[in-house]
């Protein structure tokens, strides 16, 4: 490499990025970010966990003994809490289904010289 006037030579460091290179890099990062956002959408995680725990707590509430219900002043708290968790979890999953993340833009063909 030859040293350019006013710019020291830095091995392993590229100084000649074109606008197309930068635009392609930004586009690649946006695609990766959109894919990661779809995979780790919090609505899916929260909804799934609430449904799972809601099923467990609801089953516990259905099988509670009268002594456990009497301990909660006559309210089957596990049953009502489980039903509430199920409703909230289903809400998150329906929300995810009705308003999904926008699909990632189609990947463009990368010319051989840019790979």
């Amino acid at each position: 490499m030859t040293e350019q006037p006013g710019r020291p030579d830095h091995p392993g460091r590229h100084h000649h990025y074109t606008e197309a290179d930068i635009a392609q890099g930004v586009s690649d990062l946006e695609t990766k970010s959109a894919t990661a956002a779809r995979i780790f959408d919090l609505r899916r995680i929260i909804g799934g966990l609430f449904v799972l725990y809601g099923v467990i707590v609801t089953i516990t509430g259905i099988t509670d003994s009268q002594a456990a219900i009497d301990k909660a002043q006559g309210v089957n708290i596990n049953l009502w809490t489980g039903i509430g968790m199920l409703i909230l979890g289903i809400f998150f999953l329906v929300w995810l289904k009705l308003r999904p993340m926008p699909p990632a833009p189609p990947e463009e063909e990368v010319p051989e010289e840019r790979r």
Side-chain angles (χ1 to χ4, degrees):
M1 274 202 220
T2 61
E3 196 169 309
Q4 295 178 3
R7 294 175 76 182
D9 191 16
H10 295 287
R13 192 168 173 197
H14 302 286
H15 296 286
H16 303 289
Y17 292 112
T18 64
E19 286 186 33
D21 292 337
I22 294 171
Q24 180 65 34
V26 169
S27 174
D28 291 345
L29 288 174
E30 287 175 344
T31 301
K32 289 177 185 176
S33 176
T35 302
R38 266 196 321 282
I39 292 171
F40 297 110
D41 191 348
L42 287 179
R43 296 175 294 181
R44 176 177 293 145
I45 296 168
I46 292 171
L49 286 174
F50 267 100
V51 167
L52 176 68
Y53 293 142
V55 167
I56 293 169
V57 174
T58 301
I59 291 171
T60 303
I62 291 171
T63 60
D64 269 348
S65 65
Q66 188 60 41
I69 295 171
D70 290 340
K71 191 186 289 188
Q73 297 181 355
V75 177
N76 193 342
I77 194 73
N78 286 332
L79 180 64
W80 290 110
T81 303
I83 291 171
M85 291 173 80
L86 279 171
I87 291 170
L88 183 63
I90 290 169
F91 167 76
F92 272 97
L93 295 176
V94 168
W95 180 22
L96 175 68
K97 193 70 165 171
L98 294 177
R99 301 276 305 203
M101 295 288 294
E107 292 191 26
E108 299 172 6
E109 188 66 32
V110 179
E112 286 294 321
E113 65 223 23
R114 297 182 94 184
R115 288 185 191 177

